[in-house]
Amino acid sequence: MNSVDELCINTLRFLAIDAVEKAHSGHPGAPMGAAPMAYVLWDRFLKHNPSDPEWPDRDRFILSAGHASMLLYALLHLTGHDMPLEQIKQFRQWGSTTPGHPEYLLASGIEATTGPLGQGFANGVGMAIAERLLAGHYNRPGFEIINHHTYSIVSDGDMEEGVSSEAASMAGTLRLGKLIYLYDCNGISIEGDTSITFTEDVGQRFQAYGWHVVGAIDGMDTEAVDAAIRAAQEETERPSLIICRTIIGYGSPNKAGKGEVHGEPLGADEVRLTRERLGWPYEPFFIPPEALAHFRQAVERGRRRQKEWEEKLKEYQEAHPDLARRLEEDLSGRLPEDWDADLADLFQGQDKPIATREASGRVMNAIGKRVHSFTGGAADLAPSTKTLLKDRGDVSLENRCGHNLHFGVREHAMGAIANGMALHGGIIPYTATFLIFYDYMRPPVRLAALTGLRVIFIFTHDSVGLGEDGPTHQPIEHLPGLRAVPNLVTLRPADATETVEAWKLALERREGPTALLLTRQSLPILDRSRPESGLAPASGVRRGGYLLWEAESSPEIILIATGSEVHIALQAARMLEASSVGARVVSLPSWELFEAQPAQYRASVLPPSLRRRISIEAASPLGWERYIGENGVAIGLTRFGASAPGNVVYEKLGLTAQRVFDEALRLLGMSGAS
Amino acid sequence: MNSVDELCINTLRFLAIDAVEKAHSGHPGAPMGAAPMAYVLWDRFLKHNPSDPEWPDRDRFILSAGHASMLLYALLHLTGHDMPLEQIKQFRQWGSTTPGHPEYLLASGIEATTGPLGQGFANGVGMAIAERLLAGHYNRPGFEIINHHTYSIVSDGDMEEGVSSEAASMAGTLRLGKLIYLYDCNGISIEGDTSITFTEDVGQRFQAYGWHVVGAIDGMDTEAVDAAIRAAQEETERPSLIICRTIIGYGSPNKAGKGEVHGEPLGADEVRLTRERLGWPYEPFFIPPEALAHFRQAVERGRRRQKEWEEKLKEYQEAHPDLARRLEEDLSGRLPEDWDADLADLFQGQDKPIATREASGRVMNAIGKRVHSFTGGAADLAPSTKTLLKDRGDVSLENRCGHNLHFGVREHAMGAIANGMALHGGIIPYTATFLIFYDYMRPPVRLAALTGLRVIFIFTHDSVGLGEDGPTHQPIEHLPGLRAVPNLVTLRPADATETVEAWKLALERREGPTALLLTRQSLPILDRSRPESGLAPASGVRRGGYLLWEAESSPEIILIATGSEVHIALQAARMLEASSVGARVVSLPSWELFEAQPAQYRASVLPPSLRRRISIEAASPLGWERYIGENGVAIGLTRFGASAPGNVVYEKLGLTAQRVFDEALRLLGMSGAS
């Protein structure tokens, strides 16, 4: 190793050591072992422009092992990204751009929020798919406008998580040749040597997935890493895994190779010994000018490369003006003019009943025709979730231009890959599965919310109404679960017309993900066009909740429902009307949107004076007291479901208009009918 | 194939076809293709006694591909388990023992609730671990009291799920030689041919995990299956995967090998054609007497084998009376007398502050000394979750007698493996990770609740109080998420003394799982022994919630909290007392247990007359209206956390006594202090 390389690598190491020491917490071990590979990658290969972290054709780099965050922050500072040294000194402190784990957009050059293991690995697969698709859509002979690599440093822990197995299998199937992962194999995890629980042959496993496996190499030998990355770049038909053997906490005389160096500061004494061992006479946070000068070449290099690309893009704009315009639109994330023009007349009140999953499928196809970036798929349930975009092509090994992805039975990777596509840009991704399987993909849904990604998560078969598949497939706790996630908008439309509005909101929402909950079973279309129906327009969905219907006599009670149960509430309200009791029916498809409305609007929908209230929702009633108050009745499910036809399950579990009617009379102090 | 074999196999096929047809829903394809392998396994290998499905040393069989449930129900009926034909005719109907997916204990011989893919696969690994451990603990030369296989039929979908990858890797590490899986590789999933998304070499992947891989064989050739199972039994050092190529919907002239036969009835016409093709002239649900007689040999065979085992057990009881007694105790699931004798004096009020995770670790070690069956581990976080049982041995390839499992960074498999151990019996399993990673293991926690398993899920680092690791690691929505799961008891103790009580409840609860939520940060021990402290005893935890402290003046306001926030509530109450405002502090560690109390008790803790209420909990406030009412104040978190020292995060996010104090004064119509 020449002396500049060594100086640069030790600069990375000591910035990590010093920052962790100052913070009294953090993970010094991984940065110390992985610094050489990170240095080689960033110094010799990574195509990025620190002056413009948004350059669309930059290489993507994800630190999947997010606990090694200081390695990334050090790289960002040294290569000239907007990451002042002062922030590194504020590592893990309130308000800094250097939290314990990297957070997307918090600082220039952070491509993904990582930390929960395996997520970054799968995000990278999503980014590589996005790159492949955009290249397929837009590149033309002589114009490789989209042509970049996706790199990641992944750890033993990433490799143990199932989500990375799922994503790796899919990457192998699609032969994502521009995906290159450096596996920091240090053989140490928190409980000790990984041999206690992780004796598999990772290289053989990845070969089985169809990956190109390089190594194991000495991951701290810069020339070995250099050669391995070159070999990986030359392999264009398969994703590459470079197995890098490293020593966690390298340089620490007493702690290198030990579990304790993973997640604890070295301590003053050991820092001193490590300085001696690595020949580092400097004060904390000192950066040798020679190292800085070397790293900062990235600035000029990046500017030059982006400039070359921009010149090429100009030629492309002249040669292919229509494509160039659409590329720009896709990358901007803007929706085209009139994107929703086909939605207004999609459903008529006179149409026969239709499941909201079916209605959603029709909406999606109308959107897919006009929104080019709209791309996604299901976890092997497309025929059931109704999410196939007809005539839009399947993404496959052969077809690099399609819009329909086949995720396989891999819900967890599906979510994380969708996040990766959203992070990459140029794609508005959606995923689909049954609501019960939200449980398999909670981590990526949460990260989409935390990161503020426009990802649309479609969950069909949204209640016990799915019927015969039984309690293993019937969601109960999932609706409150979704509602408790910050920055996630959950929408459970009541019919086809509300489904149209829900989809519009999902597409328009750029600041975070949206979950759409849809029925398996058919539901009548609320025929709002007939004035005598007394039904308010579906545009009320935009406010989260709205007065859907009200008896002509002054209302004495409010019935509040979401999704399929709105029809039960309506039926009960009409039964009450026949008994001369005035009721108001409120459709509340999205709590989040409703709570964002002005108090005055909310009070107009749920007047404080109207204290008698019943909610009905085929889910855990947790949280409904917010709307029904102390004396209200929440009709829901506090038990698991059952296997039987959906209407039988509803009947047996008390999700019926008669029950609502009886409870209403009871609340009003009138004797019930039953 | 001889004619009896063929007759038996077709009997399985047509029971499935007919039941699905009658139910108008279900999955005929997998039973039709997998009937031969299932027949060979059950007829020639499976050690079970249909007259006593509880026989401890029976082989375990799990239908991981739970959608093929009719195959299992047919096997149970035909081999003489308590599964009347009438129930098969009631397939997927309300109240039947034949739901869409198999449910544990609903019928004799159902060893696990399956359907969500990958779970059964991992349950089997747990069962094989339990078998290995019990054999290690109890077998002695000449006495192989515990010595059985664990079999499963797994599907393509199971293989795609990450949880099975995690479990397979762990099974390989532990070399579970008595685990034998038949992989029903029919190459078809719902979206079509699996080649669209699943091109990996599964055999090579399992070899990489350290498995013994047999095949691919013709999975519909009985003699090939027979030979493969024999080979798998002969391999005692590695788990075996038998790759069985099959044709989904075999026998259906127009639908065999196609996706539609997976999850839809064949339809009357196709059933007729299938009868013709397979030479099946019988009426629906007819069972040829020759087939029944052949299958029913299982009854006598099973009785004989169990009798032989029981005779051996008698000899063992004489030769090793102490071991035999403990074995009986372990298998019964009973806790030994005085199992909690060491817990009473574990913590004194005068002790210095201690994190509840740390207190929990001490409680666990006290339990582990007396409860032999108490066995578990963490997902590579034992030093952080404090869940290591000292001097109780590590479970490893070499040590077949330990109590500490190393699950690796595999939360999902950890949960499902723990479920498998509980299903097996003889083990009271616990798992441990950070609360944020509950998201990685929601499906098995749910299944433990649905199935009614005594599994103890330990979740430490239970709030933003964990500090510097930041929002990727700080739970927000997880507490309401846990509370929404039916039959799950969640306990969030406020200090070491409540932690003792929480553990007692968790061990004593046999009808379902318990989640224990514990802090990373230190908390004072509530010194209940000093009368002047005014603190109620920790035994109140048993009622879910209790009056912890009350001002001497008559209370005007109730402060309700859980876990670490109880201390904030207490501090605020004392500040209020100093301002001459009487407050009552309620500790509410478990909503589920509190709600199970008589109304009178609940009203004594939260008197309806005391309407001014504030809750404080470092989590999403979803659901707190239940206790604070319409005019109460829920102090919680509706945003994600932040990376900073835990006390700073609490301060910045408003989780402080001052905030509670101010809100209290505001509620009381007095001007706040700030």
Side-chain angles (χ1 to χ4, degrees):
Chain A
M1 203 186 299
N2 78 47
S3 62
V4 174
D5 289 346
E6 199 174 345
L7 197 69
C8 288
I9 290 166
N10 282 336
T11 303
L12 291 170
R13 287 183 174 130
F14 281 98
L15 279 177
I17 291 169
D18 293 340
V20 170
E21 211 62 24
K22 182 160 191 287
H24 304 299
S25 84
H27 300 78
M32 291 163 77
M37 70 176 89
Y39 167 71
V40 171
L41 176 62
W42 279 63
D43 190 58
R44 306 187 193 173
F45 295 95
L46 195 73
K47 180 173 80 172
H48 67 133
N49 181 4
S51 314
D52 180 5
E54 303 276 304
W55 173 27
D57 198 41
R58 70 193 182 278
D59 287 339
R60 302 305 193 272
F61 173 80
I62 306 159
L63 185 68
S64 187
H67 56 270
S69 56
M70 259 316 302
L71 179 60
L72 178 57
Y73 302 147
L75 286 162
L76 293 174
H77 172 70
L78 292 168
T79 59
H81 278 270
D82 182 11
M83 171 57 76
L85 189 61
E86 200 44 53
Q87 288 293 336
I88 289 179
K89 291 180 183 169
Q90 288 297 306
F91 183 49
R92 295 181 151 237
Q93 303 308 308
W94 182 267
S96 78
T97 60
T98 50
H101 296 80
E103 294 177 27
Y104 176 59
L105 287 190
L106 203 56
S108 164
I110 299 180
E111 302 277 7
T113 298
T114 54
L117 289 169
Q119 300 299 322
F121 185 113
N123 292 159
V125 174
M127 291 180 183
I129 291 174
E131 194 267 354
R132 151 91 54 103
L133 288 176
L134 291 173
H137 293 314
Y138 293 109
N139 288 354
R140 290 297 177 269
F143 295 103
E144 299 279 307
I145 297 301
I146 303 294
N147 182 14
H148 68 78
H149 284 95
T150 300
Y151 297 99
S152 181
I153 292 180
V154 303
S155 62
D156 289 304
D158 287 301
M159 291 307 199
E160 293 178 41
E161 290 285 4
V163 61
S164 59
S165 299
E166 295 176 7
S169 178
M170 186 154 171
T173 293
L174 292 176
R175 297 203 188 176
L176 301 174
K178 285 195 263 182
L179 188 68
I180 299 177
Y181 282 2
L182 296 154
Y183 168 25
D184 175 23
C185 178
N186 59 39
I188 288 293
S189 61
I190 293 172
E191 292 184 11
D193 193 290
T194 54
S195 67
I196 60 173
T197 190
F198 189 52
T199 56
E200 64 174 60
D201 181 335
V202 174
Q204 188 185 6
R205 171 155 71 96
F206 275 72
Q207 279 166 350
Y209 295 136
W211 285 51
H212 165 235
V213 176
V214 183
I217 63 166
D218 176 352
M220 301 195 304
D221 174 342
T222 52
E223 298 321 302
V225 173
D226 185 291
I229 297 177
R230 275 178 213 288
Q233 289 188 338
E234 278 161 23
E235 166 62 61
T236 59
E237 281 301 304
R238 292 178 293 168
S240 289
L241 182 74
I242 302 170
I243 302 176
C244 301
R245 294 215 182 281
T246 64
I247 297 168
I248 192 169
Y250 176 83
S252 160
N254 298 303
K255 297 191 174 178
K258 294 192 181 148
E260 61 187 296
V261 78
H262 164 82
E264 292 169 21
L266 292 178
D269 289 347
E270 192 66 17
V271 170
R272 188 175 45 73
L273 294 174
T274 307
R275 289 185 192 282
E276 282 170 19
R277 172 69 58 91
L278 293 178
W280 194 260
Y282 310 114
E283 288 299 295
F285 299 106
F286 179 80
I287 296 168
E290 195 184 350
L292 188 64
H294 184 83
F295 269 116
R296 284 281 163 93
Q297 295 170 27
V299 175
E300 187 44 39
R301 205 162 51 219
R303 282 201 186 111
R304 196 178 63 242
R305 295 195 70 168
Q306 181 167 350
K307 189 153 175 287
E308 288 162 12
W309 180 83
E310 282 167 352
E311 282 161 10
K312 196 79 190 168
L313 182 66
K314 272 195 197 115
E315 294 173 38
Y316 177 76
Q317 285 162 336
E318 284 169 25
H320 302 283
D322 291 346
L323 276 179
R325 261 192 300 274
R326 208 180 62 199
L327 170 62
E328 194 276 328
E329 188 171 82
D330 282 2
L331 290 173
S332 75
R334 289 193 314 272
L335 297 169
E337 293 273 337
D338 298 335
W339 69 274
D340 57 354
D342 303 329
L343 302 183
D345 302 318
L346 216 45
F347 302 103
Q348 308 303 330
Q350 305 86 329
D351 294 348
K352 62 178 188 190
I354 178 174
T356 50
R357 63 172 168 151
E358 191 83 46
S360 164
R362 289 175 56 188
V363 174
M364 289 176 69
N365 273 280
I367 293 169
K369 286 199 184 105
R370 290 176 179 263
V371 182
H372 180 266
S373 55
F374 190 60
T375 304
D380 193 41
L381 286 171
S384 296
T385 55
K386 309 294 179 191
T387 44
L388 200 76
L389 302 181
K390 291 178 198 82
D391 309 320
R392 299 289 288 160
D394 282 14
V395 178
S396 68
L397 176 53
E398 296 77 27
N399 185 5
R400 304 189 168 208
C401 289
H403 288 79
N404 292 294
L405 286 156
H406 295 287
F407 287 105
V409 191
R410 304 185 185 106
E411 299 83 4
H412 197 166
M414 174 171 70
I417 287 171
N419 287 353
M421 292 195 290
L423 287 163
H424 183 280
I427 305 275
I428 300 177
Y430 61 85
T431 70
T433 186
F434 296 167
L435 180 53
I436 192 79
F437 300 128
Y438 167 41
D439 277 358
Y440 277 70
M441 55 187 290
R442 298 239 189 185
V445 173
R446 177 176 221 265
L447 278 166
L450 174 58
T451 312
L453 300 177
R454 175 163 59 182
V455 180
I456 301 161
F457 297 108
I458 302 162
F459 295 114
T460 68
H461 295 59
D462 72 345
S463 77
V464 293
L466 64 87
E468 292 91 341
D469 272 349
T472 54
H473 285 58
Q474 292 166 343
I476 299 290
E477 67 274 29
H478 304 77
L479 246 171
L482 288 160
R483 288 177 181 142
V485 179
N487 196 34
L488 176 67
V489 167
T490 300
L491 281 151
R492 188 167 184 249
D495 76 335
T497 60
E498 283 197 9
T499 304
V500 172
E501 296 301 320
W503 263 108
K504 282 193 209 166
L505 289 160
L507 264 285
E508 287 166 358
R509 180 163 200 254
R510 295 196 64 163
E511 62 272 26
T514 303
L516 297 177
L517 274 54
L518 305 166
T519 64
R520 174 185 186 233
Q521 71 271 29
S522 288
L523 300 174
I525 296 181
L526 295 169
D527 188 0
R528 307 165 198 260
S529 57
R530 284 186 310 124
E532 66 273 26
S533 76
L535 295 168
S539 56
V541 172
R542 305 190 83 76
R543 310 197 77 160
Y546 64 105
L547 196 172
L548 174 64
W549 182 89
E550 191 160 52
E552 285 180 21
S553 57
S554 71
E556 300 170 63
I557 191 162
I558 310 181
L559 311 179
I560 319 171
T562 76
S564 39
E565 287 71 74
V566 168
H567 302 275
I568 296 174
L570 273 174
Q571 197 189 333
R574 292 191 181 113
M575 288 165 69
L576 288 167
E577 191 176 39
S579 298
S580 303
V581 175
R584 156 180 289 207
V585 176
V586 169
S587 175
L588 196 61
S590 172
W591 291 22
E592 301 83 15
L593 297 181
F594 186 65
E595 279 158 31
Q597 300 303 314
Q600 198 185 350
Y601 174 77
R602 281 181 280 133
S604 75
V605 176
L606 299 173
S609 58
L610 253 178
R611 304 313 302 153
R612 296 191 181 95
R613 300 178 182 186
I614 298 174
S615 69
I616 175 160
E617 187 172 69
S620 162
L622 189 84
W624 270 104
E625 289 91 347
R626 181 172 304 173
Y627 299 116
I628 59 170
E630 290 165 45
N631 302 311
V633 175
I635 298 178
L637 299 169
T638 53
R639 52 159 283 179
F640 290 105
S643 175
N647 56 342
V648 176
V649 178
Y650 264 60
E651 179 76 31
K652 296 283 188 183
L653 298 183
L655 300 165
T656 62
Q658 184 66 48
R659 166 99 179 276
V660 177
F661 176 80
D662 292 346
E663 293 283 3
L665 294 193
R666 205 177 53 71
L667 269 186
L668 292 161
M670 301 158 75
S671 62
S674 61
Chain B
M1 204 185 297
N2 78 47
S3 63
V4 174
D5 289 347
E6 198 175 343
L7 196 70
C8 289
I9 290 167
N10 281 336
T11 303
L12 291 171
R13 286 184 176 131
F14 280 98
L15 279 177
I17 290 169
D18 294 339
V20 170
E21 209 62 22
K22 182 160 191 287
H24 305 298
S25 84
H27 300 78
M32 292 163 77
M37 71 176 87
Y39 166 70
V40 171
L41 175 63
W42 279 62
D43 190 57
R44 306 186 192 173
F45 296 94
L46 195 72
K47 181 174 79 170
H48 66 134
N49 181 5
S51 314
D52 181 5
E54 304 276 304
W55 173 25
D57 197 40
R58 69 193 182 278
D59 287 340
R60 303 303 195 270
F61 173 80
I62 306 160
L63 185 68
S64 187
H67 56 270
S69 55
M70 259 315 303
L71 179 61
L72 179 57
Y73 302 147
L75 286 162
L76 293 174
H77 172 68
L78 293 168
T79 58
H81 278 270
D82 183 11
M83 169 59 77
L85 190 60
E86 200 44 53
Q87 289 293 335
I88 289 179
K89 291 180 182 167
Q90 289 297 307
F91 182 48
R92 295 180 152 237
Q93 304 308 307
W94 182 267
S96 78
T97 59
T98 49
H101 296 82
E103 295 175 29
Y104 176 59
L105 286 191
L106 203 57
S108 163
I110 299 179
E111 301 277 7
T113 298
T114 54
L117 290 168
Q119 299 300 322
F121 185 114
N123 291 159
V125 174
M127 292 181 183
I129 291 173
E131 194 269 350
R132 150 91 54 101
L133 288 177
L134 292 172
H137 293 314
Y138 293 109
N139 288 354
R140 290 296 178 269
F143 295 104
E144 299 279 309
I145 296 300
I146 303 294
N147 182 13
H148 69 77
H149 285 94
T150 300
Y151 297 99
S152 181
I153 292 180
V154 303
S155 62
D156 289 304
D158 287 302
M159 290 308 200
E160 294 178 41
E161 290 285 4
V163 61
S164 60
S165 298
E166 295 176 7
S169 178
M170 186 152 171
T173 294
L174 292 175
R175 298 204 189 174
L176 300 173
K178 284 195 262 182
L179 188 68
I180 299 178
Y181 282 2
L182 295 153
Y183 167 26
D184 175 24
C185 176
N186 59 38
I188 289 293
S189 62
I190 292 172
E191 292 184 11
D193 193 291
T194 53
S195 66
I196 59 174
T197 191
F198 188 53
T199 56
E200 64 174 61
D201 182 335
V202 174
Q204 188 184 6
R205 171 155 71 95
F206 275 72
Q207 279 167 350
Y209 294 135
W211 285 52
H212 165 234
V213 177
V214 184
I217 63 166
D218 176 353
M220 302 195 305
D221 174 341
T222 51
E223 299 320 302
V225 173
D226 185 292
I229 297 177
R230 276 177 213 288
Q233 289 188 337
E234 278 161 24
E235 166 62 60
T236 58
E237 282 301 304
R238 292 178 293 168
S240 289
L241 182 74
I242 302 171
I243 303 176
C244 301
R245 293 216 183 281
T246 64
I247 296 168
I248 191 170
Y250 176 83
S252 161
N254 298 303
K255 297 190 174 177
K258 296 194 180 144
E260 60 187 297
V261 78
H262 164 81
E264 293 169 21
L266 292 178
D269 289 347
E270 192 66 17
V271 170
R272 189 175 44 76
L273 294 174
T274 307
R275 288 185 193 280
E276 283 170 19
R277 172 69 57 92
L278 293 177
W280 193 259
Y282 310 113
E283 289 298 296
F285 298 107
F286 179 81
I287 296 169
E290 195 183 350
L292 187 63
H294 185 83
F295 270 116
R296 285 281 163 93
Q297 294 170 27
V299 175
E300 187 44 41
R301 205 162 51 219
R303 283 202 186 110
R304 196 178 63 241
R305 295 196 71 168
Q306 181 167 349
K307 189 154 173 286
E308 287 162 11
W309 180 83
E310 282 168 352
E311 282 160 11
K312 195 80 189 169
L313 182 65
K314 273 198 196 111
E315 294 175 37
Y316 177 76
Q317 285 163 336
E318 284 169 24
H320 302 285
D322 291 347
L323 275 178
R325 261 191 300 275
R326 207 180 63 198
L327 170 63
E328 194 276 327
E329 187 172 83
D330 282 2
L331 290 173
S332 74
R334 289 193 314 271
L335 296 169
E337 293 273 336
D338 298 335
W339 70 274
D340 57 353
D342 302 328
L343 303 182
D345 302 319
L346 218 45
F347 302 103
Q348 308 302 330
Q350 304 85 327
D351 294 349
K352 62 178 189 192
I354 178 173
T356 50
R357 63 173 167 149
E358 191 85 44
S360 164
R362 289 175 56 187
V363 174
M364 289 176 68
N365 273 280
I367 293 170
K369 286 200 184 103
R370 290 177 179 263
V371 182
H372 180 266
S373 55
F374 190 59
T375 304
D380 193 42
L381 286 171
S384 296
T385 55
K386 309 294 179 191
T387 45
L388 200 77
L389 302 181
K390 290 179 199 83
D391 308 320
R392 298 289 289 160
D394 282 13
V395 178
S396 67
L397 177 54
E398 296 78 26
N399 186 5
R400 304 190 167 208
C401 291
H403 287 78
N404 292 293
L405 286 155
H406 295 287
F407 286 105
V409 190
R410 306 185 185 107
E411 299 83 4
H412 197 167
M414 174 172 70
I417 287 170
N419 287 353
M421 292 195 289
L423 287 163
H424 183 279
I427 305 276
I428 300 176
Y430 61 85
T431 71
T433 185
F434 294 167
L435 179 54
I436 191 78
F437 300 129
Y438 167 42
D439 277 358
Y440 278 70
M441 54 187 290
R442 297 236 190 188
V445 173
R446 178 177 219 265
L447 278 167
L450 173 58
T451 311
L453 300 177
R454 175 164 58 182
V455 181
I456 301 161
F457 297 108
I458 302 162
F459 295 114
T460 68
H461 295 59
D462 72 345
S463 77
V464 293
L466 65 86
E468 292 92 340
D469 273 349
T472 54
H473 285 58
Q474 291 166 343
I476 299 291
E477 67 274 28
H478 304 77
L479 246 170
L482 287 160
R483 288 176 181 144
V485 179
N487 196 33
L488 176 67
V489 167
T490 300
L491 282 151
R492 188 167 185 251
D495 77 333
T497 61
E498 284 198 7
T499 303
V500 172
E501 296 301 319
W503 263 108
K504 282 193 209 167
L505 288 161
L507 263 285
E508 287 166 358
R509 180 162 200 255
R510 295 196 63 162
E511 62 271 26
T514 303
L516 297 177
L517 273 53
L518 306 166
T519 64
R520 173 184 187 233
Q521 70 272 29
S522 287
L523 300 174
I525 296 181
L526 296 169
D527 188 0
R528 306 165 199 259
S529 57
R530 284 187 308 125
E532 66 274 25
S533 74
L535 295 168
S539 56
V541 172
R542 305 189 82 78
R543 311 197 75 161
Y546 64 104
L547 196 173
L548 174 64
W549 183 89
E550 191 160 52
E552 285 178 23
S553 56
S554 71
E556 300 170 63
I557 191 162
I558 310 181
L559 312 180
I560 319 171
T562 76
S564 39
E565 287 72 73
V566 168
H567 302 274
I568 296 175
L570 274 174
Q571 196 188 336
R574 292 190 181 114
M575 288 164 69
L576 287 166
E577 191 176 39
S579 297
S580 304
V581 175
R584 157 181 289 209
V585 176
V586 169
S587 176
L588 195 61
S590 172
W591 290 22
E592 301 83 14
L593 297 181
F594 185 66
E595 278 157 32
Q597 300 303 313
Q600 198 186 351
Y601 174 77
R602 282 181 281 132
S604 74
V605 177
L606 300 173
S609 57
L610 253 178
R611 306 310 303 153
R612 296 191 181 95
R613 300 177 182 186
I614 298 174
S615 69
I616 176 161
E617 186 173 69
S620 161
L622 190 82
W624 271 104
E625 289 89 348
R626 182 172 304 173
Y627 299 115
I628 59 169
E630 290 164 45
N631 302 311
V633 175
I635 298 178
L637 297 170
T638 54
R639 53 159 283 178
F640 291 105
S643 174
N647 56 342
V648 175
V649 177
Y650 263 61
E651 178 77 31
K652 296 282 188 182
L653 298 183
L655 300 165
T656 61
Q658 184 66 50
R659 166 100 178 277
V660 177
F661 177 81
D662 291 346
E663 294 283 2
L665 293 192
R666 203 178 53 73
L667 269 186
L668 293 162
M670 302 158 74
S671 61
S674 62

